[in-house]
Structure formats: structure tokens, C-alpha cells
Amino acid sequence: MQIGLIGLGKMGMQLSLNLMDSGHEVTAYDVNAEAAAALSASGGIGVRSLEELVRRLSAPRKIWMMVPAGDVTEQVLRQLKPLLGPGDIVMDGGNSNYKDSIRRAEELAAAGIRFLDIGTSGGTEGARSGICAMVGGDAQTYREVEPLLRGISVAYGLLHAGPAGSGHFLKMIHNGIEYGMMQAIAEGFEILDKSPFEFDYEQVARVWNNGSVIRSWLMDLTERAFSKDPGLSRLKDVVHASGEGKWTVETALDYGAAAPVIALSLMTRYRSQDEHSFSGKVVAALRNEFGGHAVVAAED
Amino acid sequence: MQIGLIGLGKMGMQLSLNLMDSGHEVTAYDVNAEAAAALSASGGIGVRSLEELVRRLSAPRKIWMMVPAGDVTEQVLRQLKPLLGPGDIVMDGGNSNYKDSIRRAEELAAAGIRFLDIGTSGGTEGARSGICAMVGGDAQTYREVEPLLRGISVAYGLLHAGPAGSGHFLKMIHNGIEYGMMQAIAEGFEILDKSPFEFDYEQVARVWNNGSVIRSWLMDLTERAFSKDPGLSRLKDVVHASGEGKWTVETALDYGAAAPVIALSLMTRYRSQDEHSFSGKVVAALRNEFGGHAVVAAED
Amino acid sequence: MQIGLIGLGKMGMQLSLNLMDSGHEVTAYDVNAEAAAALSASGGIGVRSLEELVRRLSAPRKIWMMVPAGDVTEQVLRQLKPLLGPGDIVMDGGNSNYKDSIRRAEELAAAGIRFLDIGTSGGTEGARSGICAMVGGDAQTYREVEPLLRGISVAYGLLHAGPAGSGHFLKMIHNGIEYGMMQAIAEGFEILDKSPFEFDYEQVARVWNNGSVIRSWLMDLTERAFSKDPGLSRLKDVVHASGEGKWTVETALDYGAAAPVIALSLMTRYRSQDEHSFSGKVVAALRNEFGGHAVVAAED
Amino acid sequence: MQIGLIGLGKMGMQLSLNLMDSGHEVTAYDVNAEAAAALSASGGIGVRSLEELVRRLSAPRKIWMMVPAGDVTEQVLRQLKPLLGPGDIVMDGGNSNYKDSIRRAEELAAAGIRFLDIGTSGGTEGARSGICAMVGGDAQTYREVEPLLRGISVAYGLLHAGPAGSGHFLKMIHNGIEYGMMQAIAEGFEILDKSPFEFDYEQVARVWNNGSVIRSWLMDLTERAFSKDPGLSRLKDVVHASGEGKWTVETALDYGAAAPVIALSLMTRYRSQDEHSFSGKVVAALRNEFGGHAVVAAED
């Protein structure tokens, strides 16, 4: 099947190769001309503009966007919309906020353009060899692109989740769970690291990943990380967050859902981003006031 | 290889069958004579007393205990110790506290008896088809029983973790991580359940378990649970805790390790065990005092 | 000084009496004609419409709104704006979101109307005898109404916090802290309640409120609450939340600030609002799947 | 009334002055001879040994210990016990673990010596001008020393809480609540500090401490701290913990009580004590593995 792809970054390029492996014909555009050229070299058709991309596809066009969520996605959609016609299908495979996806589905529908929000998971490895795809939008539209989606997903890793927004909603919650799972694993190793035992963390991760209740892809990755850097001495303990975790907590607040572990996992990341904690200083100052407790002076 | 097994409960029986599948000869004792008889019927040798168990094994004996941690384990060891001789090996495959295991290793060593603390994971399914085993104790002793351990473990699911206590220590931390992972998954579904979307939870668990970052055995079990009871309407929201989670948090406190997500996962279980929360009443009472906020009277 | 007051509810009536005690002249409107009549009976001037309220005040008018935040505040402002003229001052003493206050200050400024956002704290008692007032807005405007504000605030309980929005911002954060403090106190009594000791909670609250590090108005209220109902048996453990706590957490998320205790205090309230916890069911189901752990059936 | 005091440190010296102000006769011992001499210079009787202390007091002796909890308290009691006789009363005013106090009460009772565990709060200021005292032990014994206790406590700041251990139990829980309250206040200022507003924190603490719901001694101390160092730039964000917070969480675990906010406040302190967080490194490593997310290298 013919597909147009916008965005040949880390994920988009791997997805293109994956789609071509499944026998689909990929025409792709990226702001970076070199990326488009690299795709051409790999058997796809790299193009130089959105106009060219649209022109080369037969109607009803099937276009997959794989660009950064937020402003970039918004801007690309604004440029793309006037180029498309009734019946064309736009799939947003990025990490867009589900509320934006609901709004975009409506805005495009007004012009007869069909929209699917597709939450994807699996990392860059998955993009190449098989992702997990959660799809929101109209059922008939879903069926029309299902062959494409099957081509890039692992078996059972494809779901038509529900109406517009539900795909990105599921992806968002997936990431919230991911934050919690990662933090749980990290805390386990934190305790091991402070214990008097001298564990080999790579071996620990390996044994935990084989036969145990906590075996998981994240534990597999833990093993890999320790195999490369046994004490993680080459890394800083600064953890960034790309949006979905925050949205998950905001959504929990909106619906009055208790999600303490996910909220805490997010806030632990925030804490990690500050070299100094102002709240820590306030508590230290208070202890000093009432108890004359020794305080570590900043110049120490 | 010949092995003596004490305790033919949920886990012990499955382990016995697993050991026999691997070609080992299982002689087993259980306080419940019917369980011993059932083992005999399955190709093993069920015996009627610890004395008989010990008598039937050739020295150096290899004995695996699979009984409830705490008092029962302590009592069985007290009965077993005088029956054994120098060089015999006792393996505790239960969920004992690692501090007890360190003490027991020392106490038995004084009588020349060798001891291994073996944390096991994988549930009843794993006990039958292949567990994850984390072993603490002397390296030479470990090597002597390694064929038995390989026989019941999945590939890569066996680790000599370190000195006495380290096996049960690793199992304890494993369970702490498990608490956090389970809570993270549960919170994700909590938000889904309060959202306006109408997801099919079995399908959600399935898609998340195929190709995604959070694919894991726990997600597999989530899928199974929803396949049997789509809204979990047959269950109460009461979650018990068997000890290791509490020990993990206590250990974190002992070492000054921050493990907020694990601590919270445990306390969420405590909360679930109370029908009414006294702390909730206190906050409600305070709001009533200062703000005249409407309070839900107990008789409502 | 002359002041117009809109909203004679729980807080507004007490504030009016407080203002009159300080020698100010209160003209007030409420949708409920009986409330306006009650004010007239107490020495103020109850009026029947916003138009009458405005007509009776000399320019530049000073109007204090004490109505529910959100839609009601928005609606009243929409009706009020065309009645007012350049130089008039509107003070919002309610629990409005600070973002709304920033927007309203701008919208009113376009018509030459001045706006102050005034976060107030102290409960109904404080409204009568002296509140804490945090004021956001233009410094000159603040100075013009300072006599009114001093009349209803306790000594040192009045602050011009900064530009528009800063008053409600401070009040919001105040409530976030309040959530955390209340939860901390409540958890203390939760542990007392589960301990084998038999404490008299009223006496405990009293001793803690005299001379200790945790003495506070909230502890005073705790004592009062236990004096009326020693075991809080007349209350349900359901705790509602009126908005500022949620906004505090959202603000923390927006600024990447770690506020785990405030977030958790809020989520504990959410949990209290559900009779059954779906997340609890999910964890119970998972334990059942892997361990065959006994599960409490819903019909038990 | 005559009292013997052991320990003239930060708290003990202030308490001695306080007792003398109330007309009591203080005989005191400290390992530091200079402290004893200082007491003599202030109107008390500083002695050079425990033997001298005991000899100078008339039976039944009333002895107040104000020494560090744990080993020191244990050691002093071991030295003191053989010097005392039936009917003598030992009061432990330190921060001992309540389980130790229960045990000590029993051990001393076997020799006819009476024991009271007295949790005290109020900081060094309170020690001088009036503390909060929570007393555990026999009611008759309590009545005999009540005049002494009234002499050093603020009005209503004295409670006979219950049997042996209950005084230190209440003090422990008090400190747990204190941890939570301090963390809540600190998080509030953390958010202020990250907000675009430019608040004067001393003024904010002052307004919050006058008339608001969160007015409290801790807020008073917050104001004082900011008055000395407006941005707390002279402090590090490292917060130590002296034991009671940990015991509170352990007690919560023992009784299955949910105390998430107290647990989290403690763990936030643990986090503050590490320059680098190993758990943070693990999460950073995992993000790097699955997403190729940029990681901050340790050498940056």
C-alpha cells in the first residue's frame, strides 16, 4: 500500500524501513533534505516538499506524521490541510496530547479529511522491528489503513481503541505506567546500592528478567544498561520528562483519580532536574530555628 | 540427583513435579499426609515424618524447605537440625526475612550443616515450569546443588547472588519492585476507568503487552484477569501484603534509601484493608471546623 | 469608608459585620433577598440589585465580591462591568484561580476599572473577627482601599503581595500547604488509633497545641473536633476538595516543582471519595493471578 | 521541690534554668565539668559524678535524664540503677524509642525504681520558657512529680498520656506530624520560588502566620528564618533526621497504618542526604536505552 510519511527523525526513518520491509511503498518528506535523500538510498522516495509529497500520492491519500508533538505538529497540519482533499487520511503517530487530537479530528473533518490519532510505543527498536499501536478515530477509516498498521506492529500489538483521541489517551496512560514501573525498578537498585551486599547489577537484572514476576522489557533494558556501565558512573542522575507523564497526572486530577505512584514518579524527576532543592533549604532552616540542629552551610 | 523436600503446599507440589521432570528423585514430607500420598501417586516418594525423610536420603543430604516463612520455618529447622549431620545441605526456598537467613546460616554452620537461602519467584506457574532463583550462601555449596537448581529454573533465571542472606535479600527487593509495578499498572487502569472513554480493558492490556515499553509478565496477567472478569466486579478492592514489601520499606529506612514509590504502594494496600479511614475522618472534621464545609454524616 | 459588597453567604455576611465594626459603611447585594434584609437589620444597607448597589456608592466605588469562584464570579463581573466607570475598584475576595484574576484585571483595565485579587483565609471565624488577606494588583489602588482591608484583617495579616494574580496565587499555595498539614495531622492520629495505647484524642490535641513544635490553629481545631465527637464516629471519611489544592498541584506541574506531599494529600482525598477503588481491584486481581493469593470476593 | 538532672547540654541547661525559675532546687551532673560549673554559677548545684548527684538528693529521689537517646541513655541508666533505691523516680526526658522505655520501666520496676518516659517538645526556646510534656507511666508516680512538670510546662502543655511508653510514643508521632508539616510548608515555598512572581518570603510567611488557617509556630519560625537570610542562600538543602520520623514510619508499618505523607517527608530527607541519586541514574539509563533520549553525561 502507498503511504506518505512526514518526519524522518529517529523514529520516522525506522518506521519507513519497517513499512518497506512489509511491502509498502513509502514516500517521505523531512525538513532535513539529507534525511529524505537517505530514505531514497534505502529504497523509498524522499521528496523535497509537502506539496511534492501530496502530489505523488494517489487519492485517498494516507499520510503518517511522525514529528514532534505540540507546535511542530500544529504547524505541519496547518500547511498540510489546504493541500489535501475530502477522503484523505492523516495519521498522527507522534506523542500529541489527546485533547489536541480530538480538536484536530474535528477541524479536519470539517474539510472532509479523516484523522487517526495513533499512540505508538516500543522505542526506536520497535519502530524498526514492530511497534505497539493504539489507534483512535473512526472505525471505517481504521479498517482502510489496517494493512499499513499491521505491517509495522507486532502481533497483537495493534488496537482500534475507540473514537478520536482514544489512541493518544491510551499512549499517555501507558507512559504514566512506564514512569511508575521505571521508578519502582530504580528504587529497588537504590536499596541494593545502599545495602552492605555487593551485587553485580547486570546479573541481578538478568535473573530478575528470567522467570520472575517482574520480568519485563524494562528489566531487559536494565540488564543492557548495566552491561555497558556496571555502576552507571558515566551518567548523571538528571531525568527529563517529555510531557505524557505530566499529562497523565493532570488527567488524573481532572477526573479525581488517585494515582499517587505515577504522580510521585513524575515529581521525583522534577527534583532530579534541580541541583539544589529550595524546599530542602526551607526544612533545613526550620530545623535550625527550633532545634539549633546543625545545618550544613552552603560554603561547606 | 536425590533431593528431600519439606512442604507440599501450592508451591512445593509444583516444584516437586518440576524437579522430577528434570530427572531428579524427590522424597518429600508434608504435615498433611494426603499431600505426601499425592506425591507418591505422581512418581515421587511421600514420607510420613522428617525422620523418615532424612533416613531415606544419602549423605550429604540435600533438603529443600518450602514452608511458610517465620514461625513454621523456624520450627521445622529446629526439628530438622538434630537429624542432620556435617556436610548436609539445607535450602530454604520460602520467603524468609534475610536477617533470619543470615542467623540460620550461622547457627547451622556451628553444627557443620550447610545452608542456602533461595529466593524464588514466578508464582505457582513458575514452580511447575521454571522459576527464577536467587541464591545466597557459600559458593562451593552452591555448586554442589547447582544441577538441582538448574532443573527447576528457567534459562538465565538462576543466580548465586552472594553470601548468606543475599538470596532472600534479592527476593525481598524483587517483591518491593513488584509492589510498585503493580500499583503503577493499577493506577493506569484507575484513570482509564474514570475517563469518559469506554475502553475494553482486556484489549488494552493485550496491546500494551505486545511491542510496548511496558510489556511484562504482570501486563500479561492483567490481560488474563480482565479476560475472566472484564470489570473486575467479582473482586473486592482489598489487597493484602505478605511481608516482603514491608521488609523492603524497613530496609530502605535502615539504609536511608529513598524508595517513595515502593513505600506508597505498600501504604495503599494498608489503606485498602480498612473499610473506613480514621485519617479521612480527621481531615473531614478539620474542614468542618474551619470552613463549615458540608460533611458527610456517618448515617448518610 | 464606603464599601459595596456582593454576596452575603457564609463568609460575606461575617465580613460585612466585621467591616461595620471597624466603622465602615456597608451596602450589600445578594441574590437571596432575605440575606440582604438580614444585613439591613444588622445596621448595613441591603439592596435589591447590582444597579442599586452601584447607584448608592460614590465614585470611585469600592466593591468587594464574595461569591463562588468560577462561573458565578464570571457572571457577576459581566453584569457589573457595564455599570461601573473609570476609577472604580473591584476586589475579588473569593477563591478564584489566579489565572482568571490576571485575565480579569486586564479586561477591566481596558474599561478603566481597577481590580484587586484578594486571597482571604481564616474561615468563617476569621471573616467575623479578623482575616488574613493577600492582595494582588496595582500598588496605588491597594493604598486607596488599605483602610478597608486593615479593618477586616488581623494585625500583620495583610499583605500587598505583588501584581495582579499574586494575591490569589498566594492563597492557592496557602491551601496546598493546608492540605499537607491536615493530612500530616490526620496520619498521626491514624497511627495513634491503630496503636495498642488508648489515648484520649482531645487531650492529645490539646497537649500538642500547647508548647510543642506542631502547635497551630489546625491543632486547635483538631482539639475542638475531638471535644465534640471523641471518636469522630458521627463523620464519614469522605473528604472533598474545593479547587485550590488541585490548582496548586497543577501549578507545581507547570513549573516543574516537586511537591509530593501536597500532591499526595490531594490524591488521598480523591481516594476517599470512592467507595471502591478500581486500582485496588486490579492489584488484588494480579495477586490472584500469579500467586493464587486468596482474594476477597465482592459478595463476601 | 528537689530534682536531680543528668545532662546539661543544649536542652538540659535551659530546663535547669526553667526549673529554678519555678522555685525548684536543681542538682545536676554532666560529663563536661564546665557545664556543671556553669550551672553552679547560675544558682544550681553542679556535681562531679552520678554518685554525688544521688548522694545529695533525699529519697525518694527525683531524677530527670536529658541525654542523647540510644546508647548514652542506656549506659547512664546502667550506671545509675545500682545507686538508686526503691521508690526513687527516674524520668527520661530525651527522645528515646518508646519500646526501650517500656523495657526500661520493667527493668527498673524489678528493683523497685519507678520510671516515667517524658516526651518533650518546644525546642531550646521551650526548654527555657515552657515546654510541652507528654508523660507515660504509673499515675501515682506522675502525681508525685507533677509540681516539677508543671514548673517547666506551658499551661495545658502537660499530659499524663497513659502507661509506660505512651509518653515517648506520643512524642514520636508528634515528630512524624512535624516532618509532614515542615515538608508541606517547604513545598509551598518551592512552588513560590519557581513561579514568575517575585514574592518577599519573609512577608509571605508573616501574612500566612496571622489570621490564616495555616498559622502555626512552624510558620513563625519560617518567618524568622527568612528574616535572617531572605533567599536561604547560606544553607545547603541537606536535611538530617534524628530518629523519631523513622520510628513513626516503622510504627505505621507495624500497625498497618497508611501514613504516606509522613513516609514521604522522611524519604525526601534521605534523598537530600545524597549528592547523587542512584535511582535517578537508573531511570536516566532506562530512558536512554529505549528512547535514545539525550542523557546528561557525568562529566558534563
Side-chain angles (χ1 to χ4, degrees):
Chain A
M1 199 177 267
Q2 202 188 38
I3 185 167
L5 200 137
I6 301 171
L8 287 166
K10 214 158 46 176
M11 297 293 291
M13 182 60 84
Q14 303 302 319
L15 270 179
S16 297
L17 299 174
N18 192 350
L19 281 160
M20 293 188 289
D21 282 353
S22 304
H24 299 293
E25 181 192 323
V26 179
T27 305
Y29 167 72
D30 192 280
V31 283
N32 176 0
E34 285 179 35
L39 182 76
S40 295
S42 302
I45 305 164
V47 300
R48 298 187 173 201
S49 67
L50 285 180
E51 288 76 6
E52 188 184 349
L53 183 86
V54 171
R55 209 169 45 230
R56 280 177 173 269
L57 300 170
S58 328
R61 296 169 187 89
K62 291 163 196 74
I63 296 179
W64 178 290
M65 290 172 57
M66 205 70 199
V67 301
D71 290 349
V72 177
T73 295
E74 196 67 29
Q75 209 177 329
V76 169
L77 273 172
R78 225 169 283 156
Q79 293 171 29
L80 190 62
K81 194 178 161 187
L83 306 175
L84 299 180
D88 286 347
I89 298 173
V90 177
M91 295 167 273
D92 177 6
N95 280 325
S96 295
N97 188 303
Y98 78 98
K99 292 180 186 175
D100 287 331
S101 299
I102 293 174
R103 171 179 56 77
R104 287 165 185 158
E106 285 171 10
E107 289 172 1
L108 291 166
I113 302 165
R114 297 181 288 171
F115 181 78
L116 295 174
D117 51 287
I118 307 187
T120 59
S121 177
T124 45
E125 271 183 48
R128 183 67 189 88
S129 61
I131 58 167
C132 164
M134 304 148 251
V135 189
D138 172 65
Q140 169 59 27
T141 306
Y142 170 79
R143 275 190 295 275
E144 289 185 37
V145 296
E146 203 175 347
L148 288 168
L149 298 173
R150 292 235 170 272
I152 51 170
S153 308
V154 299
Y156 303 106
L158 173 63
L159 176 67
H160 177 233
S166 63
H168 281 145
F169 191 93
L170 271 192
K171 173 63 194 314
M172 172 184 75
I173 301 297
H174 162 282
N175 279 33
I177 294 173
E178 177 192 300
Y179 275 45
M181 281 186 161
M182 287 167 76
Q183 179 66 21
I185 292 172
E187 291 180 5
F189 282 95
E190 171 84 30
I191 304 173
L192 294 188
D193 203 54
K194 285 207 160 64
S195 85
F197 292 107
E198 293 183 10
F199 294 108
D200 178 320
Y201 300 148
E202 180 190 352
Q203 289 187 353
V204 170
R206 186 182 305 124
V207 78
W208 281 349
N209 200 33
N210 288 281
S212 92
V213 173
I214 60 176
R215 62 189 188 255
S216 53
W217 195 51
L218 284 166
M219 193 56 79
D220 190 33
L221 297 179
T222 307
E223 182 189 341
R224 284 196 228 173
F226 282 121
S227 75
K228 297 172 190 168
D229 185 1
L232 302 184
S233 55
R234 294 202 299 268
L235 288 178
K236 273 206 171 169
D237 59 342
V238 177
V239 188
H240 295 287
S242 54
E244 292 93 343
K246 177 175 182 272
W247 299 337
T248 302
V249 179
E250 288 173 341
T251 303
L253 296 178
D254 284 343
Y255 299 147
V261 153
I262 296 176
L264 219 61
S265 300
L266 176 64
M267 288 187 161
T268 298
R269 293 187 176 200
Y270 289 157
R271 171 64 188 83
S272 83
Q273 295 167 16
D274 290 335
E275 196 165 352
H276 301 299
S277 155
F278 193 70
S279 61
K281 289 186 171 203
V282 173
V283 177
L286 283 173
R287 291 187 82 231
N288 191 36
E289 285 299 325
F290 70 69
H293 291 286
V295 167
V296 185
E299 62 268 29
D300 283 9
Chain B
M1 200 176 266
Q2 202 188 39
I3 186 167
L5 201 137
I6 302 171
L8 287 166
K10 212 158 49 174
M11 298 294 290
M13 182 59 85
Q14 303 302 320
L15 269 179
S16 297
L17 299 174
N18 192 350
L19 281 160
M20 292 188 290
D21 282 353
S22 303
H24 300 292
E25 180 192 322
V26 179
T27 306
Y29 166 71
D30 193 280
V31 284
N32 175 1
E34 284 179 35
L39 182 75
S40 295
S42 303
I45 305 165
V47 299
R48 300 189 170 199
S49 67
L50 285 180
E51 288 76 5
E52 187 183 350
L53 182 87
V54 171
R55 208 169 44 232
R56 277 177 175 271
L57 299 170
S58 326
R61 297 170 187 89
K62 293 164 196 72
I63 296 180
W64 178 290
M65 290 172 56
M66 206 68 199
V67 300
D71 292 348
V72 177
T73 295
E74 196 67 29
Q75 207 177 329
V76 169
L77 272 171
R78 224 170 284 155
Q79 293 172 28
L80 190 62
K81 194 177 160 188
L83 305 176
L84 300 180
D88 286 348
I89 299 173
V90 177
M91 295 167 274
D92 177 6
N95 280 326
S96 295
N97 187 304
Y98 79 97
K99 293 179 185 174
D100 286 331
S101 297
I102 293 173
R103 172 179 55 76
R104 286 165 186 159
E106 285 172 10
E107 289 172 1
L108 290 166
I113 301 165
R114 297 182 288 170
F115 181 80
L116 296 174
D117 53 285
I118 306 187
T120 59
S121 177
T124 45
E125 271 183 47
R128 184 64 189 90
S129 62
I131 58 167
C132 164
M134 304 148 252
V135 188
D138 173 65
Q140 170 57 30
T141 306
Y142 170 77
R143 275 190 295 274
E144 289 184 38
V145 297
E146 203 174 347
L148 287 169
L149 299 173
R150 291 235 171 273
I152 51 170
S153 308
V154 299
Y156 303 106
L158 173 63
L159 177 67
H160 178 232
S166 64
H168 281 145
F169 191 92
L170 272 193
K171 173 63 194 316
M172 173 184 74
I173 302 297
H174 162 282
N175 279 32
I177 294 172
E178 178 192 299
Y179 276 45
M181 282 186 161
M182 287 167 76
Q183 178 66 21
I185 292 172
E187 291 180 5
F189 282 95
E190 170 85 29
I191 305 173
L192 294 188
D193 204 53
K194 285 206 160 63
S195 85
F197 293 107
E198 293 183 11
F199 294 108
D200 178 321
Y201 299 148
E202 180 190 353
Q203 289 187 353
V204 169
R206 186 182 304 123
V207 78
W208 280 349
N209 199 33
N210 287 283
S212 91
V213 173
I214 59 175
R215 63 190 187 254
S216 53
W217 195 50
L218 285 166
M219 194 56 80
D220 190 33
L221 297 180
T222 306
E223 182 189 342
R224 285 197 227 171
F226 281 122
S227 76
K228 297 172 190 167
D229 184 2
L232 302 185
S233 54
R234 294 202 298 268
L235 287 178
K236 272 207 171 166
D237 59 342
V238 177
V239 188
H240 295 286
S242 54
E244 293 94 343
K246 176 173 182 273
W247 299 337
T248 302
V249 180
E250 288 173 341
T251 302
L253 296 178
D254 285 343
Y255 298 147
V261 153
I262 296 177
L264 219 62
S265 300
L266 176 64
M267 288 186 160
T268 299
R269 293 187 176 198
Y270 289 158
R271 171 64 189 83
S272 83
Q273 294 166 17
D274 289 335
E275 195 166 352
H276 301 298
S277 156
F278 192 70
S279 62
K281 289 186 171 202
V282 174
V283 177
L286 283 173
R287 292 188 81 231
N288 190 37
E289 285 298 325
F290 69 70
H293 290 287
V295 166
V296 185
E299 60 269 29
D300 282 9
Chain C
M1 199 177 265
Q2 202 187 39
I3 186 167
L5 201 138
I6 302 170
L8 287 166
K10 212 159 47 174
M11 298 293 291
M13 182 60 85
Q14 302 303 319
L15 269 180
S16 297
L17 299 174
N18 193 349
L19 280 160
M20 292 189 289
D21 282 353
S22 303
H24 299 292
E25 181 191 321
V26 178
T27 306
Y29 166 72
D30 193 280
V31 282
N32 176 0
E34 285 178 35
L39 182 75
S40 295
S42 303
I45 306 164
V47 300
R48 299 189 171 199
S49 67
L50 285 179
E51 288 76 6
E52 187 183 350
L53 182 87
V54 171
R55 209 168 45 232
R56 279 176 175 271
L57 299 170
S58 327
R61 296 170 189 87
K62 292 163 195 73
I63 296 179
W64 179 291
M65 291 173 56
M66 206 70 200
V67 301
D71 291 348
V72 177
T73 295
E74 197 67 31
Q75 207 177 330
V76 170
L77 272 172
R78 225 169 282 157
Q79 294 171 28
L80 190 62
K81 194 178 160 187
L83 306 174
L84 300 179
D88 286 348
I89 299 173
V90 177
M91 295 167 274
D92 177 5
N95 281 325
S96 295
N97 189 304
Y98 78 98
K99 293 180 184 173
D100 286 330
S101 298
I102 293 173
R103 172 179 54 78
R104 287 165 185 160
E106 285 171 10
E107 289 173 1
L108 291 167
I113 303 166
R114 297 181 288 170
F115 180 80
L116 296 174
D117 52 286
I118 307 187
T120 59
S121 177
T124 45
E125 272 183 48
R128 182 67 189 86
S129 61
I131 58 167
C132 164
M134 304 149 252
V135 189
D138 173 63
Q140 171 57 29
T141 306
Y142 171 78
R143 274 191 295 275
E144 289 184 36
V145 297
E146 204 175 346
L148 287 169
L149 298 173
R150 290 235 171 273
I152 50 169
S153 307
V154 299
Y156 303 107
L158 173 63
L159 177 67
H160 177 234
S166 63
H168 281 144
F169 191 92
L170 273 193
K171 173 62 195 316
M172 172 184 76
I173 302 297
H174 162 282
N175 280 33
I177 294 174
E178 178 192 300
Y179 276 44
M181 281 187 163
M182 287 167 76
Q183 178 66 21
I185 291 172
E187 291 179 6
F189 282 95
E190 171 85 29
I191 305 174
L192 294 188
D193 204 54
K194 286 207 159 64
S195 85
F197 293 107
E198 292 183 11
F199 294 108
D200 177 321
Y201 299 148
E202 180 189 353
Q203 289 188 352
V204 169
R206 186 182 304 124
V207 79
W208 280 350
N209 199 34
N210 287 283
S212 92
V213 173
I214 60 176
R215 62 190 189 254
S216 53
W217 194 51
L218 284 167
M219 194 56 79
D220 190 33
L221 297 179
T222 307
E223 183 190 340
R224 284 197 227 172
F226 281 122
S227 75
K228 298 172 189 167
D229 185 0
L232 303 184
S233 54
R234 295 204 296 269
L235 289 178
K236 272 206 171 166
D237 60 341
V238 176
V239 188
H240 295 287
S242 53
E244 294 94 341
K246 176 173 183 273
W247 299 337
T248 302
V249 179
E250 287 173 342
T251 303
L253 297 177
D254 284 343
Y255 298 147
V261 153
I262 296 177
L264 219 61
S265 299
L266 176 64
M267 288 185 160
T268 298
R269 293 187 176 199
Y270 289 157
R271 171 64 189 83
S272 83
Q273 295 166 16
D274 290 335
E275 196 166 353
H276 300 298
S277 156
F278 193 70
S279 61
K281 289 187 171 201
V282 173
V283 177
L286 283 173
R287 291 188 81 231
N288 190 38
E289 285 299 325
F290 68 71
H293 291 286
V295 166
V296 185
E299 61 269 28
D300 282 8
Chain D
M1 199 176 265
Q2 201 187 40
I3 185 167
L5 200 137
I6 301 171
L8 287 166
K10 216 158 46 177
M11 298 292 291
M13 182 59 85
Q14 303 303 319
L15 269 180
S16 296
L17 299 174
N18 193 349
L19 281 161
M20 292 188 290
D21 282 353
S22 304
H24 299 293
E25 180 192 321
V26 179
T27 304
Y29 166 72
D30 193 281
V31 284
N32 176 1
E34 285 178 36
L39 182 74
S40 294
S42 302
I45 305 165
V47 300
R48 299 187 171 199
S49 66
L50 285 180
E51 288 77 6
E52 189 184 347
L53 182 87
V54 171
R55 209 168 44 231
R56 279 177 174 270
L57 300 171
S58 324
R61 296 170 188 87
K62 292 161 194 76
I63 296 179
W64 178 291
M65 290 173 56
M66 206 70 200
V67 301
D71 291 347
V72 177
T73 295
E74 195 68 29
Q75 209 176 329
V76 169
L77 273 172
R78 225 169 283 157
Q79 292 171 29
L80 190 62
K81 192 178 162 187
L83 305 175
L84 299 179
D88 286 348
I89 299 173
V90 176
M91 295 167 274
D92 177 7
N95 281 325
S96 295
N97 188 305
Y98 79 97
K99 292 180 185 174
D100 286 331
S101 298
I102 293 173
R103 171 179 55 78
R104 287 165 185 158
E106 285 172 8
E107 289 172 1
L108 290 167
I113 302 166
R114 298 180 287 170
F115 180 81
L116 296 174
D117 52 286
I118 308 188
T120 60
S121 177
T124 46
E125 272 183 47
R128 184 66 190 87
S129 61
I131 58 167
C132 163
M134 304 148 251
V135 188
D138 172 64
Q140 170 57 30
T141 306
Y142 171 78
R143 275 191 294 274
E144 289 184 37
V145 297
E146 203 174 349
L148 288 168
L149 299 173
R150 292 235 170 271
I152 51 170
S153 307
V154 299
Y156 303 107
L158 173 62
L159 177 67
H160 178 234
S166 64
H168 281 143
F169 192 93
L170 272 193
K171 173 63 194 315
M172 172 184 77
I173 301 297
H174 161 283
N175 280 33
I177 294 174
E178 178 192 300
Y179 276 45
M181 281 187 162
M182 287 167 77
Q183 179 65 22
I185 292 172
E187 292 179 5
F189 283 94
E190 172 84 30
I191 305 173
L192 294 188
D193 204 54
K194 286 208 160 64
S195 84
F197 293 107
E198 292 183 13
F199 293 108
D200 177 321
Y201 300 148
E202 180 190 352
Q203 289 187 353
V204 169
R206 186 182 304 123
V207 78
W208 280 349
N209 199 33
N210 287 282
S212 92
V213 173
I214 60 175
R215 62 189 188 256
S216 53
W217 195 51
L218 285 166
M219 194 56 79
D220 190 33
L221 297 179
T222 306
E223 182 188 342
R224 284 197 228 173
F226 281 122
S227 75
K228 298 171 188 167
D229 185 0
L232 302 185
S233 55
R234 295 203 298 269
L235 288 178
K236 273 206 169 167
D237 60 341
V238 177
V239 188
H240 295 287
S242 54
E244 292 93 342
K246 177 174 182 273
W247 298 337
T248 302
V249 179
E250 288 173 342
T251 303
L253 297 177
D254 285 343
Y255 298 147
V261 154
I262 296 176
L264 219 61
S265 299
L266 176 65
M267 289 187 160
T268 299
R269 292 187 177 200
Y270 289 157
R271 171 64 188 84
S272 83
Q273 295 167 17
D274 289 335
E275 196 165 351
H276 301 298
S277 155
F278 192 70
S279 61
K281 289 186 172 202
V282 174
V283 178
L286 283 173
R287 291 187 83 231
N288 190 37
E289 286 299 325
F290 68 72
H293 291 286
V295 167
V296 184
E299 62 270 26
D300 283 9

